[in-house]
PDB file of all heavy atoms in Angstrom:
ATOM      1  N   ARG A  60     -10.737  30.561   9.936  1.00  0.00           N
ATOM      2  CA  ARG A  60     -10.353  29.192  10.229  1.00  0.00           C
ATOM      3  C   ARG A  60     -11.459  28.580  11.089  1.00  0.00           C
ATOM      4  O   ARG A  60     -12.395  29.267  11.501  1.00  0.00           O
ATOM      5  CB  ARG A  60      -9.018  29.145  10.983  1.00  0.00           C
ATOM      6  CG  ARG A  60      -9.081  29.771  12.359  1.00  0.00           C
ATOM      7  CD  ARG A  60      -7.725  29.764  13.038  1.00  0.00           C
ATOM      8  NE  ARG A  60      -7.809  30.229  14.419  1.00  0.00           N
ATOM      9  CZ  ARG A  60      -6.769  30.429  15.208  1.00  0.00           C
ATOM     10  NH1 ARG A  60      -5.546  30.202  14.734  1.00  0.00           N
ATOM     11  NH2 ARG A  60      -6.931  30.849  16.452  1.00  0.00           N
ATOM     12  N   ALA A  61     -11.354  27.287  11.340  1.00  0.00           N
ATOM     13  CA  ALA A  61     -12.352  26.633  12.179  1.00  0.00           C
ATOM     14  C   ALA A  61     -12.349  27.257  13.574  1.00  0.00           C
ATOM     15  O   ALA A  61     -11.300  27.315  14.221  1.00  0.00           O
ATOM     16  CB  ALA A  61     -12.059  25.136  12.274  1.00  0.00           C
ATOM     17  N   PRO A  62     -13.493  27.759  14.056  1.00  0.00           N
ATOM     18  CA  PRO A  62     -13.539  28.382  15.387  1.00  0.00           C
ATOM     19  C   PRO A  62     -13.345  27.349  16.491  1.00  0.00           C
ATOM     20  O   PRO A  62     -13.402  26.134  16.255  1.00  0.00           O
ATOM     21  CB  PRO A  62     -14.927  29.000  15.434  1.00  0.00           C
ATOM     22  CG  PRO A  62     -15.738  28.218  14.457  1.00  0.00           C
ATOM     23  CD  PRO A  62     -14.795  27.790  13.374  1.00  0.00           C
ATOM     24  N   TRP A  63     -13.130  27.841  17.703  1.00  0.00           N
ATOM     25  CA  TRP A  63     -12.810  26.959  18.822  1.00  0.00           C
ATOM     26  C   TRP A  63     -13.898  25.936  19.089  1.00  0.00           C
ATOM     27  O   TRP A  63     -13.631  24.814  19.537  1.00  0.00           O
ATOM     28  CB  TRP A  63     -12.545  27.778  20.087  1.00  0.00           C
ATOM     29  CG  TRP A  63     -13.730  28.589  20.558  1.00  0.00           C
ATOM     30  CD1 TRP A  63     -14.008  29.875  20.245  1.00  0.00           C
ATOM     31  CD2 TRP A  63     -14.786  28.146  21.434  1.00  0.00           C
ATOM     32  NE1 TRP A  63     -15.180  30.290  20.849  1.00  0.00           N
ATOM     33  CE2 TRP A  63     -15.672  29.234  21.593  1.00  0.00           C
ATOM     34  CE3 TRP A  63     -15.076  26.956  22.087  1.00  0.00           C
ATOM     35  CZ2 TRP A  63     -16.823  29.155  22.376  1.00  0.00           C
ATOM     36  CZ3 TRP A  63     -16.218  26.867  22.871  1.00  0.00           C
ATOM     37  CH2 TRP A  63     -17.074  27.966  23.005  1.00  0.00           C
ATOM     38  N   TRP A  64     -15.160  26.263  18.824  1.00  0.00           N
ATOM     39  CA  TRP A  64     -16.274  25.362  19.126  1.00  0.00           C
ATOM     40  C   TRP A  64     -16.553  24.365  18.003  1.00  0.00           C
ATOM     41  O   TRP A  64     -17.421  23.484  18.142  1.00  0.00           O
ATOM     42  CB  TRP A  64     -17.547  26.172  19.391  1.00  0.00           C
ATOM     43  CG  TRP A  64     -17.861  27.203  18.333  1.00  0.00           C
ATOM     44  CD1 TRP A  64     -17.526  28.520  18.337  1.00  0.00           C
ATOM     45  CD2 TRP A  64     -18.548  26.968  17.085  1.00  0.00           C
ATOM     46  NE1 TRP A  64     -17.969  29.148  17.183  1.00  0.00           N
ATOM     47  CE2 TRP A  64     -18.604  28.213  16.405  1.00  0.00           C
ATOM     48  CE3 TRP A  64     -19.135  25.856  16.488  1.00  0.00           C
ATOM     49  CZ2 TRP A  64     -19.212  28.357  15.153  1.00  0.00           C
ATOM     50  CZ3 TRP A  64     -19.733  25.986  15.255  1.00  0.00           C
ATOM     51  CH2 TRP A  64     -19.767  27.223  14.595  1.00  0.00           C
ATOM     52  N   TRP A  65     -15.856  24.468  16.902  1.00  0.00           N
ATOM     53  CA  TRP A  65     -16.136  23.650  15.723  1.00  0.00           C
ATOM     54  C   TRP A  65     -16.119  22.139  15.992  1.00  0.00           C
ATOM     55  O   TRP A  65     -16.961  21.394  15.459  1.00  0.00           O
ATOM     56  CB  TRP A  65     -15.137  24.000  14.625  1.00  0.00           C
ATOM     57  CG  TRP A  65     -15.536  23.563  13.255  1.00  0.00           C
ATOM     58  CD1 TRP A  65     -15.046  22.497  12.551  1.00  0.00           C
ATOM     59  CD2 TRP A  65     -16.487  24.191  12.391  1.00  0.00           C
ATOM     60  NE1 TRP A  65     -15.629  22.424  11.324  1.00  0.00           N
ATOM     61  CE2 TRP A  65     -16.523  23.459  11.191  1.00  0.00           C
ATOM     62  CE3 TRP A  65     -17.311  25.308  12.514  1.00  0.00           C
ATOM     63  CZ2 TRP A  65     -17.343  23.788  10.123  1.00  0.00           C
ATOM     64  CZ3 TRP A  65     -18.136  25.655  11.452  1.00  0.00           C
ATOM     65  CH2 TRP A  65     -18.149  24.903  10.276  1.00  0.00           C
ATOM     66  N   PRO A  66     -15.196  21.603  16.803  1.00  0.00           N
ATOM     67  CA  PRO A  66     -15.182  20.149  17.021  1.00  0.00           C
ATOM     68  C   PRO A  66     -16.418  19.613  17.741  1.00  0.00           C
ATOM     69  O   PRO A  66     -16.710  18.416  17.612  1.00  0.00           O
ATOM     70  CB  PRO A  66     -13.925  19.934  17.880  1.00  0.00           C
ATOM     71  CG  PRO A  66     -13.079  21.128  17.643  1.00  0.00           C
ATOM     72  CD  PRO A  66     -14.037  22.263  17.429  1.00  0.00           C
ATOM     73  N   LEU A  67     -17.123  20.466  18.491  1.00  0.00           N
ATOM     74  CA  LEU A  67     -18.262  19.956  19.267  1.00  0.00           C
ATOM     75  C   LEU A  67     -19.367  19.404  18.369  1.00  0.00           C
ATOM     76  O   LEU A  67     -19.750  18.224  18.498  1.00  0.00           O
ATOM     77  CB  LEU A  67     -18.786  21.048  20.195  1.00  0.00           C
ATOM     78  CG  LEU A  67     -17.799  21.523  21.274  1.00  0.00           C
ATOM     79  CD1 LEU A  67     -18.389  22.692  22.062  1.00  0.00           C
ATOM     80  CD2 LEU A  67     -17.456  20.368  22.211  1.00  0.00           C
ATOM     81  N   PRO A  68     -19.920  20.173  17.433  1.00  0.00           N
ATOM     82  CA  PRO A  68     -20.935  19.583  16.546  1.00  0.00           C
ATOM     83  C   PRO A  68     -20.349  18.563  15.571  1.00  0.00           C
ATOM     84  O   PRO A  68     -21.033  17.591  15.213  1.00  0.00           O
ATOM     85  CB  PRO A  68     -21.509  20.803  15.805  1.00  0.00           C
ATOM     86  CG  PRO A  68     -20.436  21.838  15.875  1.00  0.00           C
ATOM     87  CD  PRO A  68     -19.751  21.621  17.186  1.00  0.00           C
ATOM     88  N   ALA A  69     -19.101  18.776  15.152  1.00  0.00           N
ATOM     89  CA  ALA A  69     -18.502  17.845  14.186  1.00  0.00           C
ATOM     90  C   ALA A  69     -18.360  16.445  14.782  1.00  0.00           C
ATOM     91  O   ALA A  69     -18.726  15.446  14.154  1.00  0.00           O
ATOM     92  CB  ALA A  69     -17.144  18.370  13.724  1.00  0.00           C
ATOM     93  N   LEU A  70     -17.841  16.354  15.996  1.00  0.00           N
ATOM     94  CA  LEU A  70     -17.661  15.040  16.614  1.00  0.00           C
ATOM     95  C   LEU A  70     -18.979  14.447  17.076  1.00  0.00           C
ATOM     96  O   LEU A  70     -19.147  13.218  17.092  1.00  0.00           O
ATOM     97  CB  LEU A  70     -16.673  15.145  17.772  1.00  0.00           C
ATOM     98  CG  LEU A  70     -15.190  14.915  17.438  1.00  0.00           C
ATOM     99  CD1 LEU A  70     -14.973  13.487  16.925  1.00  0.00           C
ATOM    100  CD2 LEU A  70     -14.657  15.905  16.434  1.00  0.00           C
ATOM    101  N   LEU A  71     -19.940  15.284  17.468  1.00  0.00           N
ATOM    102  CA  LEU A  71     -21.275  14.763  17.775  1.00  0.00           C
ATOM    103  C   LEU A  71     -21.867  14.079  16.551  1.00  0.00           C
ATOM    104  O   LEU A  71     -22.416  12.968  16.640  1.00  0.00           O
ATOM    105  CB  LEU A  71     -22.186  15.899  18.241  1.00  0.00           C
ATOM    106  CG  LEU A  71     -23.670  15.543  18.422  1.00  0.00           C
ATOM    107  CD1 LEU A  71     -23.845  14.445  19.465  1.00  0.00           C
ATOM    108  CD2 LEU A  71     -24.489  16.781  18.787  1.00  0.00           C
ATOM    109  N   LEU A  72     -21.751  14.719  15.404  1.00  0.00           N
ATOM    110  CA  LEU A  72     -22.238  14.121  14.168  1.00  0.00           C
ATOM    111  C   LEU A  72     -21.487  12.829  13.852  1.00  0.00           C
ATOM    112  O   LEU A  72     -22.090  11.835  13.419  1.00  0.00           O
ATOM    113  CB  LEU A  72     -22.088  15.117  13.023  1.00  0.00           C
ATOM    114  CG  LEU A  72     -22.518  14.632  11.627  1.00  0.00           C
ATOM    115  CD1 LEU A  72     -23.986  14.211  11.627  1.00  0.00           C
ATOM    116  CD2 LEU A  72     -22.251  15.708  10.581  1.00  0.00           C
ATOM    117  N   ALA A  73     -20.171  12.818  14.075  1.00  0.00           N
ATOM    118  CA  ALA A  73     -19.392  11.606  13.834  1.00  0.00           C
ATOM    119  C   ALA A  73     -19.893  10.451  14.701  1.00  0.00           C
ATOM    120  O   ALA A  73     -20.026   9.311  14.226  1.00  0.00           O
ATOM    121  CB  ALA A  73     -17.913  11.874  14.100  1.00  0.00           C
ATOM    122  N   GLY A  74     -20.172  10.718  15.969  1.00  0.00           N
ATOM    123  CA  GLY A  74     -20.678   9.674  16.850  1.00  0.00           C
ATOM    124  C   GLY A  74     -22.037   9.171  16.425  1.00  0.00           C
ATOM    125  O   GLY A  74     -22.310   7.959  16.449  1.00  0.00           O
ATOM    126  N   LEU A  75     -22.922  10.090  16.019  1.00  0.00           N
ATOM    127  CA  LEU A  75     -24.259   9.691  15.583  1.00  0.00           C
ATOM    128  C   LEU A  75     -24.206   8.860  14.308  1.00  0.00           C
ATOM    129  O   LEU A  75     -25.016   7.935  14.122  1.00  0.00           O
ATOM    130  CB  LEU A  75     -25.122  10.934  15.355  1.00  0.00           C
ATOM    131  CG  LEU A  75     -25.477  11.744  16.621  1.00  0.00           C
ATOM    132  CD1 LEU A  75     -26.187  13.040  16.238  1.00  0.00           C
ATOM    133  CD2 LEU A  75     -26.349  10.909  17.561  1.00  0.00           C
ATOM    134  N   LEU A  76     -23.284   9.173  13.424  1.00  0.00           N
ATOM    135  CA  LEU A  76     -23.159   8.407  12.185  1.00  0.00           C
ATOM    136  C   LEU A  76     -22.524   7.039  12.430  1.00  0.00           C
ATOM    137  O   LEU A  76     -22.883   6.049  11.771  1.00  0.00           O
ATOM    138  CB  LEU A  76     -22.300   9.185  11.178  1.00  0.00           C
ATOM    139  CG  LEU A  76     -22.916  10.466  10.610  1.00  0.00           C
ATOM    140  CD1 LEU A  76     -21.894  11.217   9.766  1.00  0.00           C
ATOM    141  CD2 LEU A  76     -24.162  10.157   9.785  1.00  0.00           C
ATOM    142  N   LEU A  77     -21.584   6.966  13.371  1.00  0.00           N
ATOM    143  CA  LEU A  77     -20.858   5.722  13.597  1.00  0.00           C
ATOM    144  C   LEU A  77     -21.643   4.726  14.435  1.00  0.00           C
ATOM    145  O   LEU A  77     -21.510   3.510  14.222  1.00  0.00           O
ATOM    146  CB  LEU A  77     -19.522   6.021  14.281  1.00  0.00           C
ATOM    147  CG  LEU A  77     -18.601   4.819  14.514  1.00  0.00           C
ATOM    148  CD1 LEU A  77     -18.204   4.174  13.188  1.00  0.00           C
ATOM    149  CD2 LEU A  77     -17.363   5.233  15.299  1.00  0.00           C
ATOM    150  N   ALA A  78     -22.462   5.189  15.368  1.00  0.00           N
ATOM    151  CA  ALA A  78     -23.151   4.296  16.304  1.00  0.00           C
ATOM    152  C   ALA A  78     -23.942   3.194  15.605  1.00  0.00           C
ATOM    153  O   ALA A  78     -23.788   2.002  15.946  1.00  0.00           O
ATOM    154  CB  ALA A  78     -24.043   5.107  17.237  1.00  0.00           C
ATOM    155  N   PRO A  79     -24.803   3.500  14.644  1.00  0.00           N
ATOM    156  CA  PRO A  79     -25.531   2.400  13.987  1.00  0.00           C
ATOM    157  C   PRO A  79     -24.638   1.480  13.163  1.00  0.00           C
ATOM    158  O   PRO A  79     -24.948   0.296  13.007  1.00  0.00           O
ATOM    159  CB  PRO A  79     -26.550   3.135  13.087  1.00  0.00           C
ATOM    160  CG  PRO A  79     -25.981   4.496  12.887  1.00  0.00           C
ATOM    161  CD  PRO A  79     -25.241   4.816  14.140  1.00  0.00           C
ATOM    162  N   ILE A  80     -23.524   1.998  12.648  1.00  0.00           N
ATOM    163  CA  ILE A  80     -22.613   1.145  11.880  1.00  0.00           C
ATOM    164  C   ILE A  80     -21.948   0.131  12.804  1.00  0.00           C
ATOM    165  O   ILE A  80     -21.845  -1.060  12.486  1.00  0.00           O
ATOM    166  CB  ILE A  80     -21.554   1.997  11.163  1.00  0.00           C
ATOM    167  CG1 ILE A  80     -22.214   2.927  10.146  1.00  0.00           C
ATOM    168  CG2 ILE A  80     -20.517   1.115  10.475  1.00  0.00           C
ATOM    169  CD1 ILE A  80     -21.256   3.880   9.468  1.00  0.00           C
ATOM    170  N   VAL A  81     -21.497   0.585  13.966  1.00  0.00           N
ATOM    171  CA  VAL A  81     -20.815  -0.299  14.907  1.00  0.00           C
ATOM    172  C   VAL A  81     -21.752  -1.376  15.433  1.00  0.00           C
ATOM    173  O   VAL A  81     -21.351  -2.531  15.633  1.00  0.00           O
ATOM    174  CB  VAL A  81     -20.230   0.526  16.075  1.00  0.00           C
ATOM    175  CG1 VAL A  81     -19.699  -0.380  17.172  1.00  0.00           C
ATOM    176  CG2 VAL A  81     -19.119   1.424  15.575  1.00  0.00           C
TER     177      VAL A  81
END
Side-chain angles (χ1 to χ4, degrees):
R60 65 183 186 186
W63 62 267
W64 50 265
W65 198 256
L67 296 175
L70 269 297
L71 172 60
L72 178 59
L75 293 173
L76 291 173
L77 183 62
I80 297 175
V81 171

